Amino acid sequence: MSIWWSLHLRREAASVPLARRLLIGTMETAGVDPDVSYDLSIALSEACANAVEHGGAIPAGTATEAYRVTAYLDGEKCRIEVADSGPGFPHRHPVRPAPTDAEDGRGLCLIRELADHVHIGNKPGLGGAIVSFDKILKWRDGAPLVAV
């Protein structure tokens, strides 16, 4: 069985915990191991926080003030995608570790540490960034949606 959902969220800080809670609730209901759920929820929070902070540069009041979060639990893998309508990443955007005393700048590195596969890029055409990441799922004993 597979589960997927997609949210269009305002670029507001309050949207980050909403996406995180929905992901955790979905994985808990499906029977995903809590440690895996936690890792993915932290990675999702970082990706959403980046979309809220950097996904702008558009006129206020337009429909593109939102960003999109999509999650797929399919078989033994979860894929999460966060897309915004901001300026996107500079070409050949390297993900470098932030200095140890930095207040911010650790989000993409943290996502890379918590997920099994990460893709960071730009949407074709009108612009915007896309951060997607996958993780192999582990299941609790007796989980209702275990892949067969």
Side-chain angles (χ1 to χ4, degrees), residues 8-148:
H8 290 265
L9 299 166
R10 288 182 187 238
R11 286 187 38 250
E12 298 172 350
S15 68
V16 177
L18 173 66
R20 182 177 174 160
R21 278 186 237 136
L22 181 59
L23 178 68
I24 288 173
T26 301
M27 290 199 272
E28 183 178 305
T29 300
V32 174
D33 178 82
D35 291 336
V36 172
S37 297
Y38 181 76
D39 287 352
L40 284 170
S41 72
I42 295 295
L44 174 62
S45 294
E46 292 296 331
C48 290
N50 283 345
V52 167
E53 184 175 347
H54 304 292
I58 49 102
T62 63
T64 55
E65 282 189 64
Y67 67 100
R68 187 188 74 234
V69 176
T70 306
Y72 305 90
L73 278 78
D74 192 18
E76 295 184 12
K77 179 172 68 172
C78 178
R79 166 166 278 185
I80 298 171
E81 180 179 287
V82 177
D84 65 45
S85 298
F89 293 102
H91 291 288
R92 295 191 164 48
H93 174 71
V95 176
R96 294 187 185 116
T100 55
D101 60 347
E103 297 270 332
D104 58 9
R106 293 189 173 107
L108 294 176
C109 291
L110 189 55
I111 293 167
R112 286 194 188 277
E113 289 296 320
L114 294 170
D116 295 326
H117 178 262
V118 179
H119 179 267
I120 299 168
N122 294 325
K123 295 191 314 191
L126 299 175
I130 298 177
V131 175
S132 66
F133 47 96
D134 301 342
K135 189 161 183 82
I136 301 299
L137 298 175
K138 294 179 188 170
W139 300 92
R140 294 187 321 253
D141 289 336
L145 298 181
V146 172
V148 183

